[in-house]
Amino acid sequence: MKNILVRVLSFGFLVWLVPFVVAMGFFSPERKLLVDMFTFKTVMLLVGTATGSYLLFLLSKRVPRPAFKTFLFIGAIWLIENWILDFVILLPLSGMSVSDYFLQIGLRYVQILFVSAAIGASIDKHA
């Protein structure tokens, strides 16, 4: 149980870290965005979704059946973990207000719940 929890938390960190590292390539050293804001946000959403989906796939091999509730719980952990990391690292770097953050970035993380629940339900349906 401890091993799976460490893996879930580590993977949750990767769900946050991979898009964060990719995002660095879209900014100049002066912190100026080098592409259109919509392009940037779309790429971030795609990178985050692809990363999370792949990591959920890796977890699917280790999660007992039925999987839906477990994957929903994993999604909730990742959602909270990503919000905490953004509050600790991204908000101070960006200077955004909390309300602007949730409107522009934070609410998009709710998709983590949708994807994780869909994968858990799919596993249960076809197991």
Side-chain angles (χ1 to χ4, degrees):
M1 180 64 179
K2 180 183 175 187
N3 192 24
I4 190 78
L5 183 59
V6 169
R7 187 176 304 263
V8 166
L9 291 172
S10 300
F11 283 5
F13 177 70
L14 287 174
V15 168
W16 179 87
L17 182 64
V18 171
F20 185 79
V21 170
V22 170
M24 290 180 189
F26 288 91
F27 286 89
S28 71
E30 298 79 30
R31 294 188 187 177
K32 183 169 173 67
L33 187 59
L34 300 172
V35 297
D36 174 72
M37 179 60 78
F38 293 110
T39 302
F40 173 72
K41 290 190 182 228
T42 299
V43 170
M44 291 301 93
L45 192 62
L46 293 172
V47 169
T49 301
T51 302
S53 296
Y54 178 68
L55 294 172
L56 287 167
F57 165 73
L58 292 179
L59 284 173
S60 71
K61 299 173 183 180
R62 296 174 166 21
V63 171
R65 307 310 184 251
F68 177 76
K69 287 182 183 178
T70 303
F71 272 81
L72 192 57
F73 184 68
I74 290 168
I77 289 172
W78 287 5
L79 174 63
I80 293 165
E81 188 176 6
N82 277 254
W83 280 341
I84 289 169
L85 288 164
D86 274 1
F87 268 72
V88 171
I89 297 168
L90 185 62
L91 258 63
L93 281 175
S94 70
M96 288 179 138
S97 70
V98 173
S99 61
D100 283 344
Y101 162 77
F102 273 106
L103 289 174
Q104 295 179 28
I105 299 169
L107 287 176
R108 293 175 188 208
Y109 284 137
V110 175
Q111 71 154 341
I112 293 169
L113 290 174
F114 302 150
V115 173
S116 59
I119 289 175
S122 295
I123 290 168
D124 289 347
K125 174 100 172 143
H126 298 291

